[in-house]
Amino acid sequence: MSHLLEKTKESRAFYSFLGLIILVIICSLTSSDFSKIENYITIFRQASVLLVLSAGLTAVLILGGIDLSVGATAALVGCTCALLLKAGVPTWAVITIGLCMGAVIGTLNGFLVSIIRLPAFVATYATNWIVKGLAIVIMNGQIIFNLPESFTFIGTGYLFGQMPVLIVIALVVVSICYVLYQKTTIGRDIFSCGSNLEAARYSGIRVKRAQFVAFIMSSMFAGLAGLLMTARLNAAEASMGDSYGLNTVAAVVIGGTSMLGGEGGIIGTMIGSIMLMLITNIMNLLGISSFAQPMIIGLVIIVMVFFDSISRDERKTVRRGVAIPMNVQKRKDDIG
Amino acid sequence: MKTGETILSVKGITKLFPGVVALDHVDFDLRVGEVHILVGENGAGKSTLSKCILGAYVPEQGTITLNGTKKSFKSPRDALKEGITAVYQEFTLIPYLSVAQNIFLNREYRKKNGLLDINRMEKESRELLKLINCEHLNVSSHAKDLTIAEQQMVEIAKALSFHPQIIIFDEPTATLSEREVGSLFEQIRKLRASGIGIIYISHKIQEFTQIGDRISVFRDGRKIATFGIHEKSTEEIVNMMVGRNISQVYQRNPNLYSGESLRVEGLCDYKEKVKHADLVVNKGEIVGLAGLVGAGRTELANLIFGIDRRKAGKVYLYGEEVLGKITPGKMVRRHIGFVCEDRKSKGLALKDSVAWNITAVSLRQLFPHGLIRYKKIKNVAESYRERLKIAVPTVQRPCKFLSGGNQQKVVLAKWLSAHVDILILDEPTRGIDMGAKMEIYELMNQLSLEGKSILLISSELPELIGMSDRIYVVHEGRIVHECKRGSAEFNAEDIGAMMLNVYQDAEGKAEWDE
């Protein structure tokens, strides 16, 4: 048991989790409406979309890259699928097409970064505009709504009576990503590339493959998120990814994944997404003007990332403290 | 202050790094108008001492006394205020700034309107350069357009602009030609005559009598002795540095295996660094690659391992040609390992744990189905920690907290755990202490006894000669000589001459004429 505790402490998500608990306590004290079950479900529902949108992005950040095109990808996939559904294409086929579109965009990003060797920031920023532009072109300014119920079920339906489908999907995504990132050799390759790309290359790790996998996952999960958004709103429009903006990156980083690569995980991203949504939620409950909210979110992000970096520094100092006395002792004995 | 008076005195300085005592109660003194040489192997503590004096490191114990008053420097800025400055081996000039701007970097003169006063900086730069007979340098040209020797002169001018009492030279001649070394020494003598105390760190024993007044020898973080330059012979100095006889260090058993493992034919690269290299490594053999820095040895290894693309040539493994594009991944799957020169930037993922690093290459062998089990990783890492005596309390510790020698052992363990049959070692003992070095030599011998082949690149000739069965000498991208252990030319002097491509003897001459 103590071993398990030790392991949890080592994990960076542990500190994000502590932050989350503190946040929940503060929120419960400030608003009586907060602690209601329905409110929690609302928060989780909102966090689910953000989480799925950031799930693959987590892999890209672990790799040491960045993907700025997730929001646009979600919008394009959502819009295309809405159009297809209106044209009478069956739901299962639409979902498959949506995921494949994501994979294609991810392949493009992977190609630009690993073969053409553009910096990920520039490459995905460009893809972001291309994909967004495509969405605008195909939508031609209109908003599509009234989608078939078989489709909106994934955004608004319930399983087992009480459980929103959206949350179930998010949990499945988390499980898949957890196994993929933490328990497979390809996941480990992504970590290795993020820790030290040159060392990974010199170790015979297939770096390009790892880069492709990360970018494809990022765009595929973004595509899935696009489907979820559309289903949840029962509507699609070209700018629907915009509201997520860089919230995706914020969710990943608040969850303890390093922007420098090599560290992090999906559990942290899950906590980060919930935290971000929780803050919006409590601000609404407290009646803070929506004009003031972005400012507060900005401040909160700074505070959370700051605490995360402090907690990491602390652990380092503790380790150093142990290392030195032991060896000095040994040396002194040798000298006699 | 008069020549011969003590300007700087260091007492009982101790500096600890994680896992290693870098300086162990070191005493040291520097007199006005002397050149005091610090000598020792890599990791012996000479650079650490100079960094403590410069304020770059804060020692855990001990005192630094300058001109009779105790000082405790918290940063290089503090030391600079007291007139202590340094000229480093690797240059710190900014390539796209002018000479004058480099000299006055970070303390630029400004005009009243806040803009840079370039005229004043250039004028003072010219005066400083004149002090060291370099008035021919154009103070407005970019630093990148200067030769290495000229850049070094600018560094010295920069050092002089601080009106120093003490200048530390850290291996200043490492990248200079002989003529340039001559003029550098002339400048150093002039500085010495002007009453500046000079600390001079060097590996080149032949320089000592030319430039030094006193020598301090360091080993394993301790100062062994300080003496006048003419008091001890070169051999005595070397013995003090190494601390044991060379013959005990290198152990080689005769090779019991036969048959070739690696063959390279006519390998060329696109950068013209490797030109038609042919070589053979047999089973159970250690083959050395000798050559000057920049001769193309690392580039050759990079080609064989597929880091760089080859322009022409073939690579055979156990008689079978490696077809198609050579990539590190392909070579790893064929059980070839490459311990590269720069372990920090290319050998290890420093922030990852020892366990992850050890299993970085063997991961796919350990888990062919792609699903990882942490326990197995930990067990594998533990077994190599024991086998290679890696000094780390737990394999979960990140590699950045390990000493150089232990880091190198982790790199070796990474390849051993992948069961490589052919291992390319590029400077495997650079910057690590003597104990770890000997363990690595022992390991190399052991591997060859198991029938594994080693291609060893090293700039330390004694190491090459001590460990290799055969040595190829590389000069300007070509393999110019091959010597076998036991032959007459298998000695440091002859191989050194071959490295410079000036070697000629009866046989060599005959070959040359062909």
Side-chain angles (χ1 to χ4, degrees):
Chain A
M1 197 61 212
S2 66
H3 173 71
L4 193 72
L5 190 73
E6 201 59 35
K7 236 173 122 179
T8 354
K9 268 192 191 163
E10 284 285 311
S11 128
R12 302 188 33 160
F14 177 74
Y15 291 89
S16 312
F17 188 64
L18 276 186
L20 179 64
I21 289 177
I22 293 168
L23 205 59
V24 167
I25 293 171
I26 294 171
C27 291
S28 317
L29 293 176
T30 47
S31 168
S32 53
D33 291 331
F34 179 81
S35 309
K36 290 181 179 149
I37 292 281
E38 301 82 51
N39 190 43
Y40 277 115
I41 288 184
T42 312
I43 293 171
F44 288 144
R45 243 222 205 84
Q46 287 167 336
S48 294
V49 178
L50 180 60
L51 170 58
V52 175
L53 197 56
S54 329
L57 180 66
T58 309
V60 174
L61 259 78
I62 292 171
L63 183 84
I66 191 156
D67 188 349
L68 300 177
S69 68
V70 285
T73 304
L76 178 64
V77 171
C79 292
T80 316
C81 291
L83 283 172
L84 290 173
L85 286 166
K86 278 291 182 189
V89 181
T91 302
W92 63 266
V94 166
I95 292 174
T96 318
I97 291 169
L99 294 180
C100 290
M101 276 178 70
V104 170
I105 295 167
T107 311
L108 174 67
N109 280 334
F111 175 77
L112 291 175
V113 171
S114 80
I115 311 288
I116 309 280
R117 297 196 183 202
L118 292 182
F121 193 96
V122 180
T124 58
Y125 189 59
T127 330
N128 171 55
W129 284 104
I130 294 169
V131 170
K132 199 173 180 171
L134 250 163
I136 294 170
V137 168
I138 60 164
M139 292 303 280
N140 204 11
Q142 62 184 124
I143 299 175
I144 297 175
F145 44 89
N146 267 339
L147 299 167
E149 207 169 300
S150 62
F151 181 74
T152 53
F153 176 75
I154 61 169
T156 53
Y158 290 86
L159 280 180
F160 323 116
Q162 278 290 6
M163 195 71 171
V165 181
L166 206 53
I167 296 178
V168 175
I169 291 175
L171 288 176
V172 170
V173 167
V174 168
S175 318
I176 292 173
C177 288
Y178 183 77
V179 172
L180 221 54
Y181 300 166
Q182 312 290 339
K183 299 274 181 189
T184 64
T185 45
I186 182 71
R188 193 55 223 167
D189 286 351
I190 292 173
F191 273 92
S192 296
C193 291
S195 293
N196 186 342
L197 191 65
E198 276 296 292
R201 207 158 79 89
Y202 275 80
S203 298
I205 289 169
R206 276 172 280 184
V207 172
K208 285 179 184 157
R209 190 170 77 172
Q211 287 170 331
F212 268 104
V213 168
F215 278 104
I216 289 173
M217 287 213 306
S218 178
S219 297
M220 267 182 84
F221 282 122
L224 177 60
L227 292 172
L228 297 181
M229 279 180 214
T230 312
R232 183 161 164 256
L233 301 170
N234 193 7
E237 57 153 340
S239 65
M240 65 194 228
D242 293 1
S243 65
Y244 288 92
L246 287 177
N247 265 0
T248 48
V249 179
V252 179
V253 174
I254 290 169
T257 297
S258 164
M259 289 211 57
L260 300 171
E263 285 175 276
I266 189 69
I267 304 292
T269 302
M270 180 170 81
I271 295 167
S273 309
I274 294 173
M275 276 166 104
L276 275 179
M277 285 306 162
L278 213 141
I279 292 158
T280 316
N281 180 266
I282 191 75
M283 285 194 296
N284 286 335
L285 289 180
L286 292 177
I288 294 174
S289 142
S290 63
F291 298 132
Q293 287 191 6
M295 225 164 57
I296 296 174
I297 289 183
L299 289 174
V300 169
I301 289 174
I302 291 177
V303 171
M304 287 194 289
V305 175
F306 176 67
F307 277 115
D308 180 62
S309 68
I310 290 187
S311 62
R312 255 177 291 150
D313 285 348
E314 254 175 20
R315 278 179 289 158
K316 272 173 203 161
T317 358
V318 170
R319 278 182 188 148
R320 249 179 227 154
V322 179
I324 299 163
M326 275 179 52
N327 288 294
V328 171
Q329 201 52 48
K330 211 172 159 195
R331 190 62 173 272
K332 287 272 154 62
D333 293 345
D334 288 352
I335 299 160
Chain B
M1 203 171 229
K2 274 185 263 151
T3 303
E5 271 179 56
T6 301
I7 180 169
L8 172 85
S9 137
V10 169
K11 285 231 155 33
I13 277 235
T14 301
K15 176 73 199 163
L16 307 174
F17 289 123
V20 69
V21 184
L23 283 179
D24 192 357
H25 297 93
V26 168
D27 298 339
F28 172 81
D29 68 286
L30 181 69
R31 296 172 190 158
V32 174
E34 80 161 342
V35 174
H36 195 138
I37 293 175
L38 304 187
V39 66
E41 299 199 295
N42 290 325
K46 49 195 193 320
S47 288
T48 314
L49 174 65
S50 67
K51 281 184 179 151
C52 285
I53 295 171
L54 279 167
Y57 292 156
V58 180
E60 266 79 23
Q61 278 177 39
T63 59
I64 296 174
T65 313
L66 187 70
N67 293 329
T69 39
K70 267 192 194 172
K71 304 280 175 193
S72 63
F73 300 134
K74 295 273 178 283
S75 72
R77 197 173 267 261
D78 294 347
L80 209 51
K81 272 190 206 136
E82 302 288 344
I84 303 178
T85 178
V87 175
Y88 294 102
Q89 171 187 359
E90 64 269 11
F91 301 116
T92 52
L93 297 184
I94 296 173
Y96 285 93
L97 285 184
S98 73
V99 168
Q101 280 175 320
N102 265 298
I103 290 176
F104 288 99
L105 190 69
N106 218 0
R107 53 203 168 100
E108 291 85 355
Y109 292 128
R110 283 167 202 279
K111 290 191 261 192
K112 275 195 187 126
N113 59 14
L115 298 178
L116 295 178
D117 190 349
I118 291 177
N119 284 338
R120 186 172 165 204
M121 289 196 284
E122 294 197 340
K123 185 170 152 267
E124 290 194 18
S125 299
R126 253 177 247 122
E127 283 163 12
L128 287 166
L129 286 167
K130 202 170 177 186
L131 285 178
I132 50 173
N133 298 342
C134 286
E135 54 269 46
H136 60 279
L137 287 182
N138 182 357
V139 290
S140 55
S141 57
H142 283 167
K144 71 173 172 64
D145 297 327
L146 305 180
T147 67
I148 289 180
E150 285 168 347
Q151 289 186 24
Q152 190 156 43
M153 288 303 160
V154 174
E155 292 267 1
I156 295 175
K158 185 176 175 179
L160 287 176
S161 73
F162 292 100
H163 308 292
Q165 307 184 53
I166 297 173
I167 301 182
I168 299 175
F169 285 90
D170 195 348
E171 300 203 38
T173 58
T175 45
L176 298 187
S177 73
E178 211 153 300
R179 201 172 49 80
E180 292 165 339
V181 169
S183 69
L184 173 71
F185 282 178
E186 206 176 294
Q187 297 314 323
I188 292 180
R189 282 188 207 105
K190 256 176 83 177
L191 296 174
R192 173 174 67 181
S194 71
I196 294 173
I198 291 166
I199 297 174
Y200 187 96
I201 300 173
S202 177
H203 282 299
K204 296 187 181 168
I205 294 178
Q206 66 273 20
E207 289 178 348
F208 295 174
T209 50
Q210 289 179 48
I211 189 73
D213 297 307
R214 285 194 299 161
I215 295 189
S216 290
V217 182
F218 286 78
R219 186 173 76 222
D220 296 341
R222 270 165 284 173
K223 195 182 83 173
I224 304 303
T226 299
F227 44 84
I229 195 78
H230 296 293
E231 286 172 30
K232 297 256 162 50
S233 71
T234 309
E235 214 177 304
E236 282 172 300
I237 295 173
V238 172
N239 279 342
M240 270 189 239
M241 272 167 62
V242 180
R244 61 204 100 191
N245 263 331
I246 297 292
S247 60
Q248 294 171 312
V249 175
Y250 307 107
Q251 295 260 326
R252 277 296 281 135
N253 291 67
N255 188 4
L256 305 170
Y257 297 84
S258 62
E260 99 184 18
S261 54
L262 172 72
R263 170 187 286 276
V264 168
E265 278 179 7
L267 212 54
C268 303
D269 67 354
Y270 284 95
K271 287 179 277 182
E272 301 269 299
K273 287 277 195 183
V274 179
K275 297 163 194 161
H276 294 280
D278 297 322
L279 63 84
V280 177
V281 183
N282 294 316
K283 283 180 196 162
E285 195 179 35
I286 297 178
V287 173
L289 278 184
L292 298 172
V293 171
R297 298 167 301 166
T298 300
E299 287 81 359
L300 176 57
N302 281 349
L303 277 186
I304 296 174
F305 196 63
I307 298 286
D308 294 329
R309 274 175 66 211
R310 62 186 160 153
K311 189 178 174 188
K314 289 170 176 174
V315 175
Y316 297 86
L317 298 174
Y318 300 98
E320 210 179 297
E321 193 186 337
V322 182
L323 298 169
K325 194 177 164 191
I326 298 178
T327 64
K330 197 183 249 181
M331 293 315 248
V332 166
R333 285 193 295 281
R334 301 199 182 188
H335 298 283
I336 299 191
F338 183 25
V339 173
C340 54
E341 190 176 18
D342 189 344
R343 77 178 150 258
K344 284 211 167 94
S345 73
K346 292 168 186 164
L348 288 172
L350 287 172
K351 59 183 162 185
D352 282 352
S353 69
V354 170
W356 280 126
N357 273 290
I358 288 180
T359 53
V361 179
S362 52
L363 207 61
R364 287 215 152 64
Q365 293 174 23
L366 291 169
F367 309 104
H369 303 299
L371 276 181
I372 292 172
R373 279 188 302 123
Y374 290 110
K375 206 170 174 191
K376 195 165 173 188
I377 285 177
K378 205 177 153 215
N379 290 343
V380 170
E382 286 289 349
S383 71
Y384 282 95
R385 180 180 78 145
E386 264 168 48
R387 182 172 163 198
L388 299 186
K389 302 191 195 76
I390 301 170
V392 58
T394 143
V395 289
Q396 262 119 22
R397 185 177 295 265
C399 278
K400 62 182 159 198
F401 299 128
L402 271 61
S403 70
N406 284 309
Q407 285 183 349
Q408 188 69 319
K409 286 182 189 174
V410 172
V411 177
L412 285 164
K414 172 169 94 171
W415 292 108
L416 294 183
S417 75
H419 303 288
V420 292
D421 296 322
I422 303 169
L423 197 52
I424 304 170
L425 302 175
D426 193 355
E427 304 285 1
T429 63
R430 176 180 284 176
I432 67 180
D433 60 88
M434 204 58 206
K437 261 188 194 179
M438 290 185 60
E439 283 172 29
I440 287 174
Y441 296 144
E442 207 181 299
L443 179 72
M444 284 165 66
N445 188 40
Q446 214 180 311
L447 289 174
S448 70
L449 285 176
E450 292 167 19
K452 311 207 158 155
S453 315
I454 293 173
L455 184 62
L456 172 67
I457 299 172
S458 175
S459 293
E460 285 182 47
L461 263 184
E463 172 176 301
L464 269 183
I465 291 170
M467 295 309 296
S468 308
D469 299 315
R470 265 184 311 128
I471 291 178
Y472 290 105
V473 183
V474 185
H475 177 75
E476 291 182 354
R478 290 177 202 284
I479 292 180
V480 290
H481 284 279
E482 179 187 350
C483 338
K484 283 196 171 69
R485 176 180 286 271
S487 66
E489 73 267 22
F490 201 82
N491 62 62
E493 205 175 306
D494 286 343
I495 292 177
M498 292 173 197
M499 279 159 54
L500 295 164
N501 211 16
V502 294
Y503 174 74
Q504 288 197 342
D505 69 351
E507 256 179 273
K509 214 168 185 172
E511 271 177 33
W512 220 235
D513 293 338
E514 278 175 9

